[in-house]
Amino acid sequence: MADDETSPTATATPAASLDPDQHHTDQHDSDQHYTDPPAAITDFGIDTTSRSTDEAVRDYWARLRGGDLGPLPALLGLVVLLAVFSSLADTFLTLGNIANLLAQGASITIIAMGLVFVLLLGEIDLSAGTASGVAASVMALHLVKGGNLLGGMGQGVFLAFCAFLLLAALLAAVMRIWAGAAISLVALVIAVIGVPPNPWVEMLLAICVGTAIGCVTGFLVAKVGIPSFVVTLALFLAWGGVVLQLIGQGGTLGLNDDVLFRVANGNLGTAGSWVLCAVAAGGYAAVVLGRHFSRLRKGLVAPPTPLVLTKVGAVVVLAAVGTHLLTLNRSVSDVVVITGVPYVVPIVLVLLVIGTFVLERTRYGRHVYAVGGNREAARRAGIDVARVRMSVFVICSAAAAVGAIVYSSKVGSVDPNAGGGNTLLLSVGAAVIGGTSLFGGKGRLRDAVIGAAVLATINNGMGLLKQPAAVVFIVTGLVLLLAAGVDALSRRRAAAAR
Amino acid sequence: MRQRSPSTTAPGQHTPAVSEPILELRGVNKSFGPVRVLHDIDFTVRAGEVTALVGDNGAGKSTLVKCVAGIHAADSGEIRFAGRPVRIHGPRDAADLGIEVVYQDLALADNLDVVQNMFLGRERGRYGLLDEADMERAARRTLTSLSVRTVKSVRTKVSALSGGQRQTVAIAKAVLWNSRVVLLDEPTAALGVAQTRQVLDLVRRLAEQGLGVVLISHNMNDVFAVADRVACLYLGRMAAEVHTKDVTHGQVVELITAGRSGDLGIARPESATT
């Protein structure tokens, strides 16, 4: 491993190795201390800043063998599923079905992205599903009752609702999560003033309610110190009851609003689709390449250029092909024409980009990983662990509310079952299948997207094969079990390799 | 009972101090409820020297370190840093003075890489955004200045490092902050022979860079390999603070186990029986 490292910067000193026997540190001349940066980097020598493709591939292989699988199993599974379903069901690979699949998977993807934050800390939020149901039902109630939540809920419930929002804002303020406090107060203001119904206000209200729920969950876990499993299990039941209370036994609240309906069912125009493609793919290429070459210029550790170019090229080509296919007419009847990229695609993309940016480029994201990796080390490093732990529940519930908007829009109504059933299980499943560790510290937002794609494909494909619900559930459950098993085994392997 | 000379430095020792004391403890006491853990501790750390802190289990080594690190507050006594009396109320105070503690474990997050760990909690950047380039260069500069050659890349995840490499990173992390005193809590306890050697080399280099180094260790070989002076705790009292070259292995072991050795140590160790 040591002798074949001949990187451009490693010429000054012989390549070093991880083998302790090979270190020669006894002779340390004074000129090695406090040398200026460029000289220091050359002197460091062992730090191979730019690797060859060959080495990168071998490193990746070593990581895989060491148990760091990342999203690879999920990607392979997705390929297998696509191959199986497209050979068994003729309609699977039609454009209409692919677009449908995207819309079906979107809400799960969004809730799963929020859950990734919680899972990164090694916690769990079992209440994300029914919490999203509460957000959806408040939203629907506000729309249906013409902005009069007091009339819609009844006085007692309304007062309790307002008190809850106030409490959430206070708890967030106590923990100095100002965004959570402010957003909870926005919900309170909307509720108390009785803002007239407007699709955008409804969506804002849903997200604010979700945030408030997260503040309370997070406080109970992080400050009171109840295990997240218990807190969220209790709240899972409680929120289910709240949804029932808000909507009423057997009732349904229809979302008769064009904007709300189009969130999950509308499409961008052809021009819009291509603009999205250009912005997304172009933006991705610009960011990745810009960063790569800037790192190379500064002499920092960077992956090999050919690998980066391949990755960027693949993404750009995929985006272009996907956009082209989705801008073709996919209507099955001759009367209507359906073209364009569904709105859910940019919604998921925007959330993915923002979330990834937060996790990987900000101090806060770094602290999330640190607390998930080693809470004690994070505490000793001066990180406010309780605040970080609370904040992830706020993010998770807010994301769940966004997911609620999407699934309510897809169905066009909110019923007492909103967010119940297997919404939560599928979301947790999506995150875990994508490669997020249940033990904390490992995972990225894109895992949620990949995992949700796997689950949506299973659901969709089994449906096309006319399999009964029983079989779909069993297969989904087994896939989740498989993913959790892979996670546990790879963790054991990583521990053994040390 | 009250009047006891806690630190009986060996007589006739070379009086000219090698360097100014950077950290001085005078008459520090600490009790946990009815249990008196530290009795009138005097302890001196000099810049450019490695001071070994030895003692049996329960002698108060960890408590002493925690008092200096700000994790526990001392009940009474004085702490002087660079000649000035200071109060250390929390880990932040200690860090602000330039006192860093490297704990045996619990110091690093496995899922982060070397750079991320070294800057944990003190990330560089503006508006909450990270300046990765700056941090990576600074981390590499620090590792270079310590002649660390065993870490392949500063972007290696800590989970992929060996025990010695982890300890190296933890120590380098302490140095990164222009710290002036580094306390190492059993840095070699879990390491093999070669890795112990690496870490001891590094400890020596810290002192050569002008830092005051405190090495807590159970291993006499380690102590005699790197330490300039040995401070020996015995049942919460400072039994002796001596130069390493003035004592033998056996004497230090006696100091640890009995609190005295010939002329050294606590005059009348009546408390040895309890």
Short mmCIF file of all heavy atoms in Angstrom, two decimals, chain B residues 36 39 134 149 158 188 205 270:
data_model
loop_
_atom_site.label_atom_id
_atom_site.label_comp_id
_atom_site.label_asym_id
_atom_site.label_seq_id
_atom_site.Cartn_x
_atom_site.Cartn_y
_atom_site.Cartn_z
N ARG B 36 -12.42 13.28 50.92
CA ARG B 36 -11.44 14.29 50.53
C ARG B 36 -10.50 13.65 49.52
O ARG B 36 -9.75 12.72 49.85
CB ARG B 36 -10.68 14.76 51.77
CG ARG B 36 -9.89 16.00 51.50
CD ARG B 36 -9.86 16.88 52.72
NE ARG B 36 -8.99 18.02 52.48
CZ ARG B 36 -8.16 18.50 53.38
NH1 ARG B 36 -8.09 17.95 54.57
NH2 ARG B 36 -7.41 19.55 53.10
N HIS B 39 -5.57 16.64 48.87
CA HIS B 39 -5.14 17.31 50.10
C HIS B 39 -4.02 18.28 49.76
O HIS B 39 -2.91 17.84 49.43
CB HIS B 39 -4.57 16.31 51.11
CG HIS B 39 -5.58 15.37 51.66
ND1 HIS B 39 -6.17 15.52 52.89
CD2 HIS B 39 -6.11 14.25 51.15
CE1 HIS B 39 -7.01 14.54 53.11
NE2 HIS B 39 -6.99 13.75 52.07
N ASP B 134 -8.96 26.26 4.49
CA ASP B 134 -8.15 26.83 5.56
C ASP B 134 -7.90 25.79 6.65
O ASP B 134 -6.77 25.62 7.14
CB ASP B 134 -8.91 28.04 6.13
CG ASP B 134 -8.04 28.84 7.06
OD1 ASP B 134 -6.82 28.85 6.83
OD2 ASP B 134 -8.56 29.43 8.01
N ARG B 149 4.18 11.41 10.67
CA ARG B 149 4.30 10.83 9.34
C ARG B 149 3.50 9.55 9.21
O ARG B 149 3.69 8.76 8.31
CB ARG B 149 5.76 10.54 9.02
CG ARG B 149 6.56 11.78 8.99
CD ARG B 149 8.01 11.51 8.69
NE ARG B 149 8.68 12.78 8.54
CZ ARG B 149 8.61 13.50 7.45
NH1 ARG B 149 7.93 13.09 6.42
NH2 ARG B 149 9.23 14.67 7.39
N VAL B 158 -11.39 8.84 10.92
CA VAL B 158 -10.74 8.36 12.13
C VAL B 158 -11.01 6.87 12.35
O VAL B 158 -10.19 6.14 12.89
CB VAL B 158 -11.20 9.21 13.33
CG1 VAL B 158 -10.82 8.55 14.63
CG2 VAL B 158 -10.57 10.58 13.26
N THR B 188 -0.89 6.15 26.36
CA THR B 188 -0.36 4.92 25.77
C THR B 188 -1.01 3.68 26.34
O THR B 188 -0.59 2.57 26.06
CB THR B 188 1.16 4.83 26.02
OG1 THR B 188 1.38 4.84 27.43
CG2 THR B 188 1.89 5.98 25.39
N ARG B 205 8.25 15.77 21.55
CA ARG B 205 8.29 16.88 20.60
C ARG B 205 7.44 18.06 21.06
O ARG B 205 7.77 19.21 20.81
CB ARG B 205 7.83 16.40 19.21
CG ARG B 205 8.93 16.52 18.19
CD ARG B 205 8.57 15.84 16.91
NE ARG B 205 8.74 14.40 17.02
CZ ARG B 205 7.85 13.52 16.63
NH1 ARG B 205 6.71 13.90 16.11
NH2 ARG B 205 8.11 12.24 16.74
N GLU B 270 1.04 7.51 57.99
CA GLU B 270 0.19 6.72 58.87
C GLU B 270 -1.11 6.32 58.17
O GLU B 270 -1.76 5.37 58.57
CB GLU B 270 -0.10 7.49 60.16
CG GLU B 270 -1.33 8.39 60.14
CD GLU B 270 -1.16 9.63 59.25
OE1 GLU B 270 -0.01 10.06 59.09
OE2 GLU B 270 -2.16 10.16 58.76
#
